[in-house]
Amino acid sequence: QKEVEQNSGPLSVPEGAIASLNCTYSDRGSQSFFWYRQYSGKSPELIMFIYSNGDKEDGRFTAQLNKASQYVSLLIRDSQPSDSATYLCAVNRGGGGNKLTFGTGTQLKVEL
Amino acid sequence: GAVVSQHPSWVICKSGTSVKIECRSLDFQATTMFWYRQFPKQSLMLMATSNEGSKATYEQGVEKDKFLINHASLTLSTLTVTSAHPEDSSFYICSAREEREGPTDTQYFGPGTRLTVL
């Protein structure tokens, strides 16, 4: 079982729709969770992080965390073509070093 | 805030030469920086953790004598790929950790360095 799992996609949604991206993790002791956006050929860009159960909203983005079920999701409202990218889920398992473990990413395509 | 730069953005070198990549945190101090490598259509793989003033910690399978890391100040870490070979061609990305209270430590990524070894 991979430590952080994401569906590779591509996930296609029409412009203006809600895109829902999911991520599961295996280490129940994981402490914080991050969503990064990566455009082709570029480095990851932080979208948001979450560490408490429930929802966290930032503009068009909402992160959802359910530690009991060990999943974290990212909702993108009013999807735009510029949102087309690969979305990486990353987990900080805590302990020393504060290293992040990344999923393989979900490719999102927002179609006109 | 939280800007991380990398230099160079791309480099082409001959097999057997060494290449140095710099990573700088521009508006915050980073006691910890991380070096990743990403091959096409794959996720980021952590290579090593760079700690200011001490030796780097390498992930399993990463040769410390081939990938030399120096973190001489709170804003600069360097990665030197020694005796580079074509299989070292990849996208190298650094990140800098912005320390915060509690579980909200966040890593910010540099723009990456694309290395091509001929």
Side-chain angles (χ1 to χ4, degrees), chain B residues 35-72:
Chain B
W35 287 96
Y36 295 84
R37 182 166 53 181
Q38 187 177 37
F39 292 105
K41 299 194 182 300
Q42 295 186 22
S43 191
L44 282 78
M45 296 301 298
L46 179 65
M47 299 175 65
T49 303
S50 172
N51 304 295
E52 188 270 334
S54 64
K55 289 183 179 180
T57 305
Y58 290 81
E59 295 299 302
Q60 191 173 10
V62 178
E63 300 174 56
K64 63 179 181 180
D65 294 331
K66 181 170 181 62
F67 300 99
L68 302 179
I69 291 172
N70 184 278
H71 195 152

mmCIF file of all heavy atoms in Angstrom, chain B residues 35-72:
data_model
loop_
_atom_site.group_PDB
_atom_site.id
_atom_site.type_symbol
_atom_site.label_atom_id
_atom_site.label_comp_id
_atom_site.label_asym_id
_atom_site.label_seq_id
_atom_site.Cartn_x
_atom_site.Cartn_y
_atom_site.Cartn_z
ATOM 1 N N TRP B 35 15.748 18.713 -0.846
ATOM 2 C CA TRP B 35 16.043 18.537 -2.266
ATOM 3 C C TRP B 35 15.253 17.348 -2.806
ATOM 4 O O TRP B 35 15.296 16.254 -2.230
ATOM 5 C CB TRP B 35 17.545 18.320 -2.476
ATOM 6 C CG TRP B 35 18.324 19.579 -2.270
ATOM 7 C CD1 TRP B 35 18.966 19.981 -1.132
ATOM 8 C CD2 TRP B 35 18.531 20.622 -3.231
ATOM 9 N NE1 TRP B 35 19.559 21.204 -1.326
ATOM 10 C CE2 TRP B 35 19.310 21.618 -2.596
ATOM 11 C CE3 TRP B 35 18.137 20.811 -4.556
ATOM 12 C CZ2 TRP B 35 19.701 22.788 -3.257
ATOM 13 C CZ3 TRP B 35 18.521 21.970 -5.199
ATOM 14 C CH2 TRP B 35 19.290 22.941 -4.559
ATOM 15 N N TYR B 36 14.555 17.618 -3.911
ATOM 16 C CA TYR B 36 13.740 16.607 -4.560
ATOM 17 C C TYR B 36 14.233 16.411 -5.990
ATOM 18 O O TYR B 36 14.865 17.278 -6.591
ATOM 19 C CB TYR B 36 12.268 17.042 -4.619
ATOM 20 C CG TYR B 36 11.574 17.184 -3.300
ATOM 21 C CD1 TYR B 36 11.685 18.356 -2.553
ATOM 22 C CD2 TYR B 36 10.761 16.165 -2.805
ATOM 23 C CE1 TYR B 36 11.018 18.498 -1.340
ATOM 24 C CE2 TYR B 36 10.085 16.308 -1.598
ATOM 25 C CZ TYR B 36 10.225 17.472 -0.885
ATOM 26 O OH TYR B 36 9.565 17.615 0.315
ATOM 27 N N ARG B 37 13.832 15.278 -6.531
ATOM 28 C CA ARG B 37 14.096 15.005 -7.936
ATOM 29 C C ARG B 37 12.793 14.506 -8.535
ATOM 30 O O ARG B 37 12.055 13.752 -7.881
ATOM 31 C CB ARG B 37 15.194 13.947 -8.067
ATOM 32 C CG ARG B 37 15.590 13.600 -9.486
ATOM 33 C CD ARG B 37 16.886 12.817 -9.520
ATOM 34 N NE ARG B 37 16.870 11.637 -8.667
ATOM 35 C CZ ARG B 37 17.897 10.812 -8.523
ATOM 36 N NH1 ARG B 37 19.037 11.052 -9.185
ATOM 37 N NH2 ARG B 37 17.812 9.771 -7.736
ATOM 38 N N GLN B 38 12.520 14.916 -9.755
ATOM 39 C CA GLN B 38 11.286 14.498 -10.398
ATOM 40 C C GLN B 38 11.576 14.103 -11.836
ATOM 41 O O GLN B 38 12.028 14.931 -12.637
ATOM 42 C CB GLN B 38 10.241 15.613 -10.363
ATOM 43 C CG GLN B 38 8.872 15.183 -10.879
ATOM 44 C CD GLN B 38 7.838 16.281 -10.759
ATOM 45 O OE1 GLN B 38 8.136 17.455 -10.943
ATOM 46 N NE2 GLN B 38 6.597 15.904 -10.455
ATOM 47 N N PHE B 39 11.303 12.851 -12.148
ATOM 48 C CA PHE B 39 11.432 12.373 -13.518
ATOM 49 C C PHE B 39 10.105 12.595 -14.221
ATOM 50 O O PHE B 39 9.055 12.743 -13.575
ATOM 51 C CB PHE B 39 11.842 10.898 -13.530
ATOM 52 C CG PHE B 39 13.244 10.669 -13.023
ATOM 53 C CD1 PHE B 39 13.467 10.127 -11.764
ATOM 54 C CD2 PHE B 39 14.338 11.018 -13.789
ATOM 55 C CE1 PHE B 39 14.755 9.919 -11.288
ATOM 56 C CE2 PHE B 39 15.629 10.827 -13.325
ATOM 57 C CZ PHE B 39 15.836 10.282 -12.073
ATOM 58 N N PRO B 40 10.132 12.633 -15.555
ATOM 59 C CA PRO B 40 8.903 12.918 -16.314
ATOM 60 C C PRO B 40 7.732 12.028 -15.905
ATOM 61 O O PRO B 40 7.878 10.812 -15.761
ATOM 62 C CB PRO B 40 9.317 12.676 -17.759
ATOM 63 C CG PRO B 40 10.791 12.946 -17.780
ATOM 64 C CD PRO B 40 11.292 12.462 -16.446
ATOM 65 N N LYS B 41 6.597 12.668 -15.691
ATOM 66 C CA LYS B 41 5.337 11.999 -15.369
ATOM 67 C C LYS B 41 5.402 11.201 -14.073
ATOM 68 O O LYS B 41 4.603 10.288 -13.857
ATOM 69 C CB LYS B 41 4.886 11.106 -16.520
ATOM 70 C CG LYS B 41 4.634 11.863 -17.816
ATOM 71 C CD LYS B 41 3.893 11.037 -18.820
ATOM 72 C CE LYS B 41 3.702 11.788 -20.131
ATOM 73 N NZ LYS B 41 2.930 13.029 -19.950
ATOM 74 N N GLN B 42 6.340 11.539 -13.207
ATOM 75 C CA GLN B 42 6.411 10.900 -11.896
ATOM 76 C C GLN B 42 6.296 11.961 -10.813
ATOM 77 O O GLN B 42 6.413 13.155 -11.078
ATOM 78 C CB GLN B 42 7.724 10.122 -11.747
ATOM 79 C CG GLN B 42 7.846 8.951 -12.700
ATOM 80 C CD GLN B 42 9.080 8.116 -12.427
ATOM 81 O OE1 GLN B 42 9.635 8.129 -11.334
ATOM 82 N NE2 GLN B 42 9.515 7.374 -13.432
ATOM 83 N N SER B 43 6.065 11.498 -9.601
ATOM 84 C CA SER B 43 5.926 12.448 -8.510
ATOM 85 C C SER B 43 7.293 12.853 -7.977
ATOM 86 O O SER B 43 8.329 12.359 -8.421
ATOM 87 C CB SER B 43 5.088 11.847 -7.395
ATOM 88 O OG SER B 43 4.745 12.835 -6.459
ATOM 89 N N LEU B 44 7.270 13.761 -7.032
ATOM 90 C CA LEU B 44 8.518 14.219 -6.432
ATOM 91 C C LEU B 44 9.078 13.139 -5.526
ATOM 92 O O LEU B 44 8.357 12.529 -4.744
ATOM 93 C CB LEU B 44 8.270 15.466 -5.581
ATOM 94 C CG LEU B 44 8.120 16.788 -6.306
ATOM 95 C CD1 LEU B 44 6.752 16.903 -6.911
ATOM 96 C CD2 LEU B 44 8.361 17.942 -5.356
ATOM 97 N N MET B 45 10.366 12.942 -5.622
ATOM 98 C CA MET B 45 11.048 12.001 -4.739
ATOM 99 C C MET B 45 12.049 12.776 -3.893
ATOM 100 O O MET B 45 12.933 13.436 -4.418
ATOM 101 C CB MET B 45 11.757 10.921 -5.548
ATOM 102 C CG MET B 45 10.817 10.038 -6.352
ATOM 103 S SD MET B 45 9.606 9.174 -5.319
ATOM 104 C CE MET B 45 10.686 8.169 -4.311
ATOM 105 N N LEU B 46 11.893 12.691 -2.599
ATOM 106 C CA LEU B 46 12.809 13.379 -1.700
ATOM 107 C C LEU B 46 14.175 12.723 -1.770
ATOM 108 O O LEU B 46 14.301 11.506 -1.629
ATOM 109 C CB LEU B 46 12.273 13.329 -0.274
ATOM 110 C CG LEU B 46 13.137 13.981 0.799
ATOM 111 C CD1 LEU B 46 13.248 15.486 0.569
ATOM 112 C CD2 LEU B 46 12.561 13.707 2.193
ATOM 113 N N MET B 47 15.194 13.549 -1.988
ATOM 114 C CA MET B 47 16.554 13.043 -2.038
ATOM 115 C C MET B 47 17.232 13.199 -0.674
ATOM 116 O O MET B 47 17.876 12.281 -0.182
ATOM 117 C CB MET B 47 17.377 13.794 -3.076
ATOM 118 C CG MET B 47 16.866 13.682 -4.494
ATOM 119 S SD MET B 47 17.809 14.711 -5.608
ATOM 120 C CE MET B 47 19.421 13.922 -5.537
ATOM 121 N N ALA B 48 17.094 14.384 -0.091
ATOM 122 C CA ALA B 48 17.823 14.649 1.141
ATOM 123 C C ALA B 48 17.238 15.856 1.847
ATOM 124 O O ALA B 48 16.565 16.692 1.242
ATOM 125 C CB ALA B 48 19.297 14.886 0.838
ATOM 126 N N THR B 49 17.510 15.908 3.127
ATOM 127 C CA THR B 49 17.140 17.038 3.977
ATOM 128 C C THR B 49 18.415 17.790 4.316
ATOM 129 O O THR B 49 19.376 17.196 4.821
ATOM 130 C CB THR B 49 16.457 16.549 5.259
ATOM 131 O OG1 THR B 49 15.315 15.760 4.915
ATOM 132 C CG2 THR B 49 16.031 17.718 6.124
ATOM 133 N N SER B 50 18.396 19.074 4.036
ATOM 134 C CA SER B 50 19.566 19.912 4.260
ATOM 135 C C SER B 50 19.354 20.729 5.527
ATOM 136 O O SER B 50 18.379 21.455 5.641
ATOM 137 C CB SER B 50 19.741 20.836 3.046
ATOM 138 O OG SER B 50 20.735 21.801 3.263
ATOM 139 N N ASN B 51 20.246 20.567 6.476
ATOM 140 C CA ASN B 51 20.127 21.250 7.755
ATOM 141 C C ASN B 51 21.249 22.272 7.900
ATOM 142 O O ASN B 51 22.421 21.943 7.735
ATOM 143 C CB ASN B 51 20.227 20.242 8.899
ATOM 144 C CG ASN B 51 19.191 19.141 8.767
ATOM 145 O OD1 ASN B 51 18.004 19.383 8.845
ATOM 146 N ND2 ASN B 51 19.651 17.916 8.568
ATOM 147 N N GLU B 52 20.871 23.494 8.218
ATOM 148 C CA GLU B 52 21.850 24.564 8.357
ATOM 149 C C GLU B 52 22.846 24.233 9.456
ATOM 150 O O GLU B 52 22.473 23.901 10.573
ATOM 151 C CB GLU B 52 21.132 25.883 8.667
ATOM 152 C CG GLU B 52 22.025 27.105 8.645
ATOM 153 C CD GLU B 52 22.634 27.415 10.000
ATOM 154 O OE1 GLU B 52 22.027 27.034 11.014
ATOM 155 O OE2 GLU B 52 23.709 28.049 10.033
ATOM 156 N N GLY B 53 24.118 24.272 9.093
ATOM 157 C CA GLY B 53 25.167 24.066 10.067
ATOM 158 C C GLY B 53 25.469 22.628 10.420
ATOM 159 O O GLY B 53 26.300 22.360 11.285
ATOM 160 N N SER B 54 24.821 21.678 9.769
ATOM 161 C CA SER B 54 25.108 20.276 10.046
ATOM 162 C C SER B 54 25.007 19.463 8.767
ATOM 163 O O SER B 54 24.647 19.979 7.713
ATOM 164 C CB SER B 54 24.145 19.730 11.106
ATOM 165 O OG SER B 54 22.824 19.740 10.633
ATOM 166 N N LYS B 55 25.321 18.192 8.870
ATOM 167 C CA LYS B 55 25.320 17.343 7.682
ATOM 168 C C LYS B 55 23.903 17.083 7.185
ATOM 169 O O LYS B 55 22.950 17.018 7.974
ATOM 170 C CB LYS B 55 25.992 16.006 8.008
ATOM 171 C CG LYS B 55 27.490 16.094 8.212
ATOM 172 C CD LYS B 55 28.087 14.715 8.457
ATOM 173 C CE LYS B 55 29.597 14.796 8.637
ATOM 174 N NZ LYS B 55 30.192 13.444 8.870
ATOM 175 N N ALA B 56 23.821 16.899 5.891
ATOM 176 C CA ALA B 56 22.525 16.581 5.305
ATOM 177 C C ALA B 56 22.131 15.147 5.635
ATOM 178 O O ALA B 56 22.986 14.285 5.883
ATOM 179 C CB ALA B 56 22.579 16.780 3.796
ATOM 180 N N THR B 57 20.849 14.905 5.613
ATOM 181 C CA THR B 57 20.314 13.564 5.834
ATOM 182 C C THR B 57 19.783 13.058 4.507
ATOM 183 O O THR B 57 18.890 13.669 3.925
ATOM 184 C CB THR B 57 19.176 13.593 6.869
ATOM 185 O OG1 THR B 57 19.627 14.210 8.065
ATOM 186 C CG2 THR B 57 18.699 12.189 7.168
ATOM 187 N N TYR B 58 20.300 11.940 4.049
ATOM 188 C CA TYR B 58 19.949 11.420 2.731
ATOM 189 C C TYR B 58 18.900 10.322 2.848
ATOM 190 O O TYR B 58 18.907 9.530 3.789
ATOM 191 C CB TYR B 58 21.191 10.875 2.035
ATOM 192 C CG TYR B 58 22.162 11.959 1.624
ATOM 193 C CD1 TYR B 58 23.056 12.504 2.541
ATOM 194 C CD2 TYR B 58 22.165 12.457 0.331
ATOM 195 C CE1 TYR B 58 23.929 13.519 2.184
ATOM 196 C CE2 TYR B 58 23.040 13.458 -0.050
ATOM 197 C CZ TYR B 58 23.919 13.990 0.881
ATOM 198 O OH TYR B 58 24.779 14.997 0.508
ATOM 199 N N GLU B 59 18.028 10.265 1.864
ATOM 200 C CA GLU B 59 17.042 9.193 1.811
ATOM 201 C C GLU B 59 17.711 7.902 1.328
ATOM 202 O O GLU B 59 18.765 7.933 0.685
ATOM 203 C CB GLU B 59 15.899 9.573 0.888
ATOM 204 C CG GLU B 59 15.091 10.764 1.379
ATOM 205 C CD GLU B 59 14.446 10.516 2.730
ATOM 206 O OE1 GLU B 59 13.667 9.548 2.861
ATOM 207 O OE2 GLU B 59 14.752 11.282 3.667
ATOM 208 N N GLN B 60 17.064 6.824 1.640
ATOM 209 C CA GLN B 60 17.607 5.523 1.266
ATOM 210 C C GLN B 60 17.775 5.441 -0.248
ATOM 211 O O GLN B 60 16.873 5.819 -1.009
ATOM 212 C CB GLN B 60 16.658 4.416 1.750
ATOM 213 C CG GLN B 60 17.230 3.026 1.645
ATOM 214 C CD GLN B 60 16.310 1.985 2.292
ATOM 215 O OE1 GLN B 60 15.178 2.279 2.658
ATOM 216 N NE2 GLN B 60 16.815 0.783 2.436
ATOM 217 N N GLY B 61 18.929 4.973 -0.670
ATOM 218 C CA GLY B 61 19.188 4.810 -2.086
ATOM 219 C C GLY B 61 19.824 6.011 -2.756
ATOM 220 O O GLY B 61 20.185 5.929 -3.940
ATOM 221 N N VAL B 62 19.957 7.114 -2.052
ATOM 222 C CA VAL B 62 20.586 8.309 -2.618
ATOM 223 C C VAL B 62 22.046 8.332 -2.186
ATOM 224 O O VAL B 62 22.351 8.296 -0.991
ATOM 225 C CB VAL B 62 19.859 9.581 -2.150
ATOM 226 C CG1 VAL B 62 20.557 10.823 -2.707
ATOM 227 C CG2 VAL B 62 18.403 9.549 -2.583
ATOM 228 N N GLU B 63 22.945 8.437 -3.162
ATOM 229 C CA GLU B 63 24.371 8.397 -2.856
ATOM 230 C C GLU B 63 24.847 9.750 -2.350
ATOM 231 O O GLU B 63 24.874 10.735 -3.093
ATOM 232 C CB GLU B 63 25.156 8.034 -4.109
ATOM 233 C CG GLU B 63 24.796 6.684 -4.722
ATOM 234 C CD GLU B 63 25.531 6.477 -6.039
ATOM 235 O OE1 GLU B 63 26.773 6.555 -6.033
ATOM 236 O OE2 GLU B 63 24.858 6.263 -7.066
ATOM 237 N N LYS B 64 25.258 9.798 -1.121
ATOM 238 C CA LYS B 64 25.683 11.071 -0.540
ATOM 239 C C LYS B 64 26.976 11.597 -1.147
ATOM 240 O O LYS B 64 27.220 12.798 -1.152
ATOM 241 C CB LYS B 64 25.825 10.946 0.979
ATOM 242 C CG LYS B 64 26.876 9.961 1.432
ATOM 243 C CD LYS B 64 26.948 9.924 2.953
ATOM 244 C CE LYS B 64 28.012 8.964 3.435
ATOM 245 N NZ LYS B 64 28.097 8.917 4.923
ATOM 246 N N ASP B 65 27.815 10.700 -1.655
ATOM 247 C CA ASP B 65 29.068 11.152 -2.267
ATOM 248 C C ASP B 65 28.854 11.666 -3.685
ATOM 249 O O ASP B 65 29.716 12.356 -4.232
ATOM 250 C CB ASP B 65 30.085 10.004 -2.298
ATOM 251 C CG ASP B 65 30.507 9.596 -0.902
ATOM 252 O OD1 ASP B 65 30.494 10.478 -0.006
ATOM 253 O OD2 ASP B 65 30.829 8.417 -0.698
ATOM 254 N N LYS B 66 27.716 11.342 -4.262
ATOM 255 C CA LYS B 66 27.421 11.816 -5.605
ATOM 256 C C LYS B 66 26.629 13.133 -5.554
ATOM 257 O O LYS B 66 26.824 14.009 -6.373
ATOM 258 C CB LYS B 66 26.616 10.774 -6.364
ATOM 259 C CG LYS B 66 26.281 11.205 -7.795
ATOM 260 C CD LYS B 66 25.693 10.072 -8.586
ATOM 261 C CE LYS B 66 25.414 10.539 -9.996
ATOM 262 N NZ LYS B 66 26.648 10.943 -10.706
ATOM 263 N N PHE B 67 25.764 13.238 -4.588
ATOM 264 C CA PHE B 67 24.926 14.429 -4.435
ATOM 265 C C PHE B 67 25.351 15.148 -3.153
ATOM 266 O O PHE B 67 24.870 14.854 -2.065
ATOM 267 C CB PHE B 67 23.448 14.046 -4.389
ATOM 268 C CG PHE B 67 22.957 13.347 -5.629
ATOM 269 C CD1 PHE B 67 22.843 11.972 -5.662
ATOM 270 C CD2 PHE B 67 22.634 14.082 -6.759
ATOM 271 C CE1 PHE B 67 22.398 11.324 -6.810
ATOM 272 C CE2 PHE B 67 22.189 13.449 -7.909
ATOM 273 C CZ PHE B 67 22.066 12.068 -7.937
ATOM 274 N N LEU B 68 26.268 16.097 -3.331
ATOM 275 C CA LEU B 68 26.825 16.813 -2.182
ATOM 276 C C LEU B 68 25.936 17.998 -1.826
ATOM 277 O O LEU B 68 25.599 18.805 -2.675
ATOM 278 C CB LEU B 68 28.242 17.299 -2.510
ATOM 279 C CG LEU B 68 29.252 16.210 -2.902
ATOM 280 C CD1 LEU B 68 30.597 16.839 -3.220
ATOM 281 C CD2 LEU B 68 29.391 15.171 -1.801
ATOM 282 N N ILE B 69 25.587 18.085 -0.560
ATOM 283 C CA ILE B 69 24.714 19.154 -0.104
ATOM 284 C C ILE B 69 25.426 19.970 0.954
ATOM 285 O O ILE B 69 26.027 19.426 1.888
ATOM 286 C CB ILE B 69 23.400 18.580 0.450
ATOM 287 C CG1 ILE B 69 22.581 17.978 -0.686
ATOM 288 C CG2 ILE B 69 22.594 19.655 1.183
ATOM 289 C CD1 ILE B 69 21.357 17.218 -0.232
ATOM 290 N N ASN B 70 25.333 21.290 0.783
ATOM 291 C CA ASN B 70 25.916 22.208 1.752
ATOM 292 C C ASN B 70 24.874 23.261 2.119
ATOM 293 O O ASN B 70 24.256 23.863 1.260
ATOM 294 C CB ASN B 70 27.151 22.889 1.151
ATOM 295 C CG ASN B 70 27.840 23.783 2.155
ATOM 296 O OD1 ASN B 70 27.431 24.922 2.371
ATOM 297 N ND2 ASN B 70 28.877 23.282 2.782
ATOM 298 N N HIS B 71 24.694 23.461 3.403
ATOM 299 C CA HIS B 71 23.704 24.438 3.881
ATOM 300 C C HIS B 71 24.442 25.400 4.806
ATOM 301 O O HIS B 71 24.355 25.312 6.019
ATOM 302 C CB HIS B 71 22.593 23.683 4.625
ATOM 303 C CG HIS B 71 21.351 24.495 4.860
ATOM 304 N ND1 HIS B 71 20.111 23.912 4.972
ATOM 305 C CD2 HIS B 71 21.150 25.817 5.019
ATOM 306 C CE1 HIS B 71 19.196 24.844 5.188
ATOM 307 N NE2 HIS B 71 19.807 26.005 5.230
ATOM 308 N N ALA B 72 25.148 26.314 4.172
ATOM 309 C CA ALA B 72 26.098 27.144 4.916
ATOM 310 C C ALA B 72 25.458 28.312 5.653
ATOM 311 O O ALA B 72 26.046 28.859 6.580
ATOM 312 C CB ALA B 72 27.163 27.668 3.958
#
